[in-house]
Amino acid sequence: MAANAAPITATDSLSQALKANIIPNQEYLLQGSVLDSAVEVLLHRLRGLCDNVDAGPETFDDQEVCFSLRDPNQQSTPLTLRVRKALDARDMPYQLRYIGQPDLGDKNRPTVVRSSLDIACSGMLIEFLNELGCRIEFEYSVKGYMFRKGRMKITVAKVFKISQSSMPPEPISQSYLVELSVLAPQGQDAIGEDMRAFADQLRPLVQLDKIDYKRLGHMSVT
């Protein structure tokens, strides 16, 4: 490198990585649910199909807080940010996550596709977001199991309401949320076919599909 060459900044490095399409900023996602009474059968099936068979699935116990940041001068959709912290590993960094609107336009696409960026942060993250003017929309805790199959991540988790008193968290339903996801750079839509093929192996225990939350919202209103 020449002695008078300008140093490469973090912004330059990020721009180069984006141009090279090496940043995993797209999430491919399928979701479903399984009743409490059938979850052990599903876990047994996943142990037989996934990579981490000998060690068993990873467990997690997290709390997630959803923040929104609104522009008072505009009527656009507010920016939504999610903060997750591990309740079973207090020394782990907080996780800040941005999730974009799901792309459901192509009916032939086998999975939901949405923008996703994850950043590890310090414990001062929530105070920082409050200073920015972010507002807490909701929070919950989630506890369950995580499996791996190649690049695919499969989670089977119970979602709990956060109690404002000393009472233990209350499950929001009598079922577990099941998610199959992959983080990858843009343009790797072929991974969706692999995800669909894997999801078919879990039937009829759980049906993983594309979920349109906007449509569900309209159905609940009507």
Side-chain angles (χ1 to χ4, degrees):
M1 180 183 295
N4 59 351
I8 298 177
T9 65
T11 302
D12 293 333
S13 298
L14 178 60
S15 298
Q16 292 175 8
L18 287 170
K19 291 178 180 178
N21 199 25
I22 60 175
I23 295 180
N25 58 355
Q26 294 283 313
E27 182 181 40
Y28 298 81
L29 178 68
L30 292 171
Q31 294 175 299
S33 64
V34 60
L35 292 173
D36 292 353
S37 58
V39 69
E40 287 299 330
V41 181
L42 176 62
L43 293 175
H44 181 75
R45 173 74 62 85
L46 286 169
R47 290 187 186 99
L49 292 174
C50 294
D51 297 334
N52 46 350
V53 178
D54 296 334
E58 299 178 40
T59 59
F60 60 89
D61 185 3
D62 298 340
Q63 180 178 346
E64 185 162 300
V65 185
C66 181
F67 290 85
S68 66
L69 181 61
R70 302 175 183 272
D71 187 340
N73 300 319
Q74 296 182 6
Q75 300 298 321
S76 59
T77 302
L79 174 67
T80 301
L81 298 170
R82 297 173 182 267
V83 176
R84 180 172 286 209
K85 65 177 180 179
L87 300 177
D88 54 350
R90 300 286 182 174
D91 56 336
M92 294 292 290
Y94 282 51
Q95 182 187 43
L96 175 64
R97 190 176 200 201
Y98 164 76
I99 299 176
Q101 294 296 320
D103 182 3
L104 297 165
D106 187 353
K107 295 182 179 180
N108 296 322
R109 179 176 284 164
T111 71
V112 169
V113 181
R114 60 188 186 183
S115 300
S116 178
L117 292 173
D118 294 87
I119 305 170
C121 301
S122 71
M124 299 297 293
L125 175 59
I126 291 180
E127 289 80 358
F128 175 72
L129 292 176
N130 287 330
E131 289 293 330
L132 285 180
C134 294
R135 185 180 69 181
I136 294 178
E137 295 291 339
F138 58 86
E139 59 182 320
Y140 61 91
S141 63
V142 57
K143 185 176 183 179
Y145 307 88
M146 182 174 68
F147 298 82
R148 296 281 185 183
K149 180 66 174 180
R151 291 193 296 171
M152 293 183 284
K153 180 176 75 172
I154 307 96
T155 58
V156 182
K158 193 78 170 175
V159 182
F160 297 88
K161 297 178 182 178
I162 299 293
S163 175
Q164 301 301 324
S165 63
S166 58
M167 298 294 291
E170 177 186 354
I172 66 170
S173 69
Q174 296 180 339
S175 62
Y176 280 72
L177 173 65
V178 184
E179 294 186 322
L180 170 61
S181 63
V182 172
L183 282 175
Q186 292 182 352
Q188 298 195 12
D189 292 350
I191 188 64
E193 299 295 340
D194 296 335
M195 294 172 62
R196 175 57 64 188
F198 184 84
D200 288 343
Q201 297 183 65
L202 300 179
R203 293 185 178 185
L205 297 175
V206 61
Q207 181 172 337
L208 298 177
D209 211 339
K210 298 190 294 184
I211 306 298
D212 186 351
Y213 288 100
K214 288 185 177 180
R215 182 181 177 186
L216 290 178
H218 293 321
M219 292 172 62
S220 64
V221 172
T222 57

